[in-house]
Amino acid sequence: MKNGVVIVGSGHAGVQAAASLREEGYDGPVLLVGDETELPYHKPPLSKTFIKDAAAQPQPLRGEAFYTGHTIELRPGTLVERLDAGARRLELAGGGNLAYDHLILATGSRPRVLPLPGADLAGVLSLRSVADARLIRDQSAACEEVVVIGGGFIGLEIAATLAAGGRKVTVIEALDRLLGRAVAPLIAEHVRKRLEAVGIRILLKTTIDRIEGEGGHVSGVLTPSGEHLPAKMVITGIGVVPNVELAETAGLTIANGIRIDSAMRSSVPGILAIGDNASYRHWQTGGDVRLESVQNATDQAKLAARTIVGRPSDYTAVPWFWSDIGDMKLQMVGLTAGSDRQILSGDPAENRFSVFHFAVDRLTAIESVNRPADHMLGRKMLGLGFSPTPEQVAGGTDVLKAALAALPAE
Ligand code: FAD
C-alpha cells in the first residue's frame, strides 16, 4: 500500500478524515488536496459573523502544526480535474498525477445558480467560501439596499447579519413560508416575525422576473407584479448542488450525490465519499438522504477512516444542525420526516421554545429556538432511542432530565 490515502477536498469532511486516519492508527501516506488556497477553515461563521466584521479572519479547522505533526501532506490551491478509477489515479489541473490506494471524495457542494436573466451581473453573489464572504463583506460596505433571494438558513443568516450592520434588506422567497423544507411552520413563522421586527422586508410567495443592471452591475430586481426593488447587491441562497462531477465521469453511481453504503464506500472499490456530496439510505427512516451539515461531514469522515483501516462500522449517528439567525439560535436534532404530532414546549413570545416531533408516539426530532438544553437532551434521548411521553415534554427541561436520569444503566 505505497500510495496511501488521497483525500480530495479539504473542507470539514476532508480535514476530519485525515485526522481520523491518524487517530485510527493508519500509518501510510495521507495526502489532503483542496482547490482553495486558505488553510482549511470553518464555514459556518462566514454567514454569521465574518461578513459584518471588517477585521475578521477565517477560523482554521486545525493549526498548520497539526498537519506537519501528524505527517499529513496538505496541498492547497490544487484542483483535481479527473479521476481514473481503473488506474487509481487523479489528474490535476495544470498537469501532474496522483496515485492512490484509497481515495476519499470530500468535494462538498456549491451554490445552485439562479437560472434568470441578469444572474451574471457584477454584484450578484452567493456564499460558499471565504473568498465569497470577502466579496460580500467588501461590497456590502458600499450598499444601502441588499436583496437576498431565498429564505433558507444561509439566506436568512446573511439577511440578519447585513441588517444588523445597517443595510436595508429584502428577502424574496417563492414558497409561502421561510425555511420551507427544514423546520416546523411554527418556527418558520416565528423567524419571519422576528426578522420583520428588526426591519427586514420579507416577500413570501414571490418570484423574480429578472435581475436588472446598469453598466454591467446589478441595480435591482423586478418581480412579476412589476415592483422594482433597488439593490446594489443581490445575494442568492437557493440551495446547493453536490460536487459529483469527478465521480460521475469515473462511473461511480450517483443519486442526488455520490451513492455510498453505511460504511462510506462508493460503488467502486477503493473509493469512499463523505460530507455534502454523498447520499445514502438513512438507518432510521429508510429514506434516501444527503445531509448538509458539519455533524454529518464530521461523523462520516470518522467512519471513512475506520473503513480504510479495516474496522468498518455502520453510520447510525443522530443528525443535528444549528443556525444563528439574528437573535435566534436554532438547533435541530433528528429527522422530521414522517412526524405526525408536534408538541410545543416553552413560549415563542419569550423567543425561547422547542417543538418536539413524534411519529406514532415515538420522538423523531426536536427543533429549538434559544433552548440549548432541550437540544442537548434531544441528542441524548434520540441517541438512546428513548421517547418521552407528551406529559414529560409538557413538564419542561427538568422533567425530561429526570426521566433520562431514571433510565436503567446499560
Ligand atoms: P466543504 O466544507 O464545502 O469542503 C469541500 C471542499 O472541497 C471545498 O474546499 C471545495 O472547494 C473542495 N473541492 C471541491 N471539488 C474539488 C476538486 N475537484 N479538487 C480539489 N478540491 C475540491 N452547517 C451546520 O451544521 N451549521 C451551520 O450553521 C452551517 N452554516 C453554514 C454557513 C455557510 C456560509 C456555509 C457555506 C455552510 C454552512 N453549513 C453549516 C454547512 C457546512 O459548512 C457543510 O455541510 C460542510 O462544510 C460540509 O463539509 P464538506 O467537507 O462536505 O464540504
Side-chain angles (χ1 to χ4, degrees):
M1 290 285 168
K2 58 184 175 8
N3 293 319
V5 181
V6 176
I7 304 167
V8 181
S10 55
H12 285 267
V15 169
Q16 181 62 51
S20 294
L21 279 164
R22 292 300 183 226
E23 278 159 26
E24 294 289 344
Y26 181 80
D27 61 2
V30 175
L31 174 57
L32 182 55
V33 182
D35 59 353
E36 295 189 66
T37 49
E38 312 277 338
L39 194 61
Y41 58 89
H42 287 271
K43 289 207 157 64
L46 297 180
S47 46
K48 301 166 178 74
T49 49
F50 188 94
I51 53 171
K52 73 174 170 199
D53 178 358
Q57 296 295 329
Q59 297 170 19
L61 287 164
R62 310 269 179 167
E64 252 179 289
F66 173 82
Y67 301 97
T68 41
H70 290 80
T71 341
I72 295 166
E73 188 188 344
L74 177 64
R75 268 203 222 174
T78 307
L79 175 72
V80 175
E81 224 164 36
R82 209 177 83 83
L83 160 60
D84 183 340
R88 296 202 176 211
R89 197 179 55 224
L90 297 163
E91 290 173 16
L92 305 180
N97 293 317
L98 294 173
Y100 62 82
D101 299 316
H102 295 276
L103 173 66
I104 301 180
L105 292 172
T107 48
S109 57
R110 61 181 181 274
R112 191 182 296 282
V113 175
L114 195 64
L116 269 187
D120 54 353
L121 286 164
V124 180
L125 304 171
S126 58
L127 176 52
R128 181 72 200 175
S129 65
V130 72
D132 300 333
R134 285 195 180 105
L135 274 182
I136 292 176
R137 180 173 71 183
D138 297 348
Q139 294 188 17
S140 67
C143 291
E144 202 183 322
E145 288 147 323
V146 177
V147 168
V148 174
I149 302 176
F153 287 114
I154 292 201
L156 296 182
E157 287 183 358
I158 295 171
T161 307
L162 292 182
R167 310 279 92 72
K168 205 173 147 203
V169 182
T170 302
V171 175
I172 300 184
E173 166 57 52
L175 298 179
D176 59 358
R177 49 173 283 191
L178 296 176
L179 301 169
R181 296 167 301 145
V183 300
L186 179 72
I187 293 192
E189 193 50 14
H190 178 78
V191 170
R192 182 186 67 78
K193 284 188 191 145
R194 276 197 98 78
L195 292 182
E196 286 184 342
V198 296
I200 298 175
R201 186 174 178 217
I202 296 179
L203 302 177
L204 298 176
K205 288 196 274 185
T206 303
T207 53
I208 291 166
D209 264 358
R210 64 169 184 272
I211 301 177
E212 301 182 306
E214 267 173 36
H217 197 281
V218 67
S219 61
V221 302
L222 186 72
T223 70
S225 67
E227 186 178 3
H228 170 79
L229 299 163
K232 272 202 196 156
M233 176 181 286
V234 170
I235 297 174
T236 60
I238 54 166
V240 296
V241 288
N243 291 326
V244 299
E245 288 73 11
L246 280 180
E248 195 164 29
T249 49
L252 277 67
T253 302
I254 309 291
N256 179 31
I258 305 169
R259 191 67 184 178
I260 53 168
D261 68 8
S262 60
M264 311 299 115
R265 292 174 285 232
S266 77
S267 59
V268 170
I271 304 180
L272 299 87
I274 53 175
D276 276 18
N277 69 6
S279 74
Y280 54 97
R281 176 117 329 143
H282 195 266
W283 60 279
Q284 206 179 7
T285 64
D288 291 343
V289 288
R290 187 179 61 73
L291 298 179
E292 297 152 11
S293 70
V294 169
Q295 170 275 319
N296 180 66
T298 307
D299 286 341
Q300 289 194 327
K302 292 176 183 171
L303 290 186
R306 289 186 63 82
T307 297
I308 287 173
V309 298
R311 288 191 297 277
S313 50
D314 287 337
Y315 187 28
T316 55
V318 175
W320 57 267
F321 182 80
W322 83 97
S323 173
D324 298 328
I325 303 176
D327 65 355
M328 294 164 279
K329 175 168 275 302
L330 272 63
Q331 291 170 295
M332 282 65 68
V333 55
L335 293 174
T336 55
S339 147
D340 53 21
R341 182 174 181 194
Q342 291 89 41
I343 300 177
L344 172 66
S345 176
D347 186 359
E350 289 175 6
N351 197 24
R352 289 184 71 245
F353 64 100
S354 296
V355 177
F356 288 66
H357 289 259
F358 288 82
V360 201
D361 293 334
R362 283 214 72 74
L363 180 71
T364 57
I366 302 175
E367 299 169 333
S368 306
V369 177
N370 295 329
R371 293 253 289 207
D374 286 354
H375 176 75
M376 293 314 291
L377 281 172
R379 277 160 65 172
K380 275 195 195 136
M381 290 190 287
L382 289 165
L384 291 167
F386 169 73
S387 234
T389 63
E391 292 71 30
Q392 286 169 327
V393 172
T397 311
D398 288 342
V399 174
L400 289 172
K401 270 189 195 156
L404 261 180
L407 286 180
E410 217 159 293

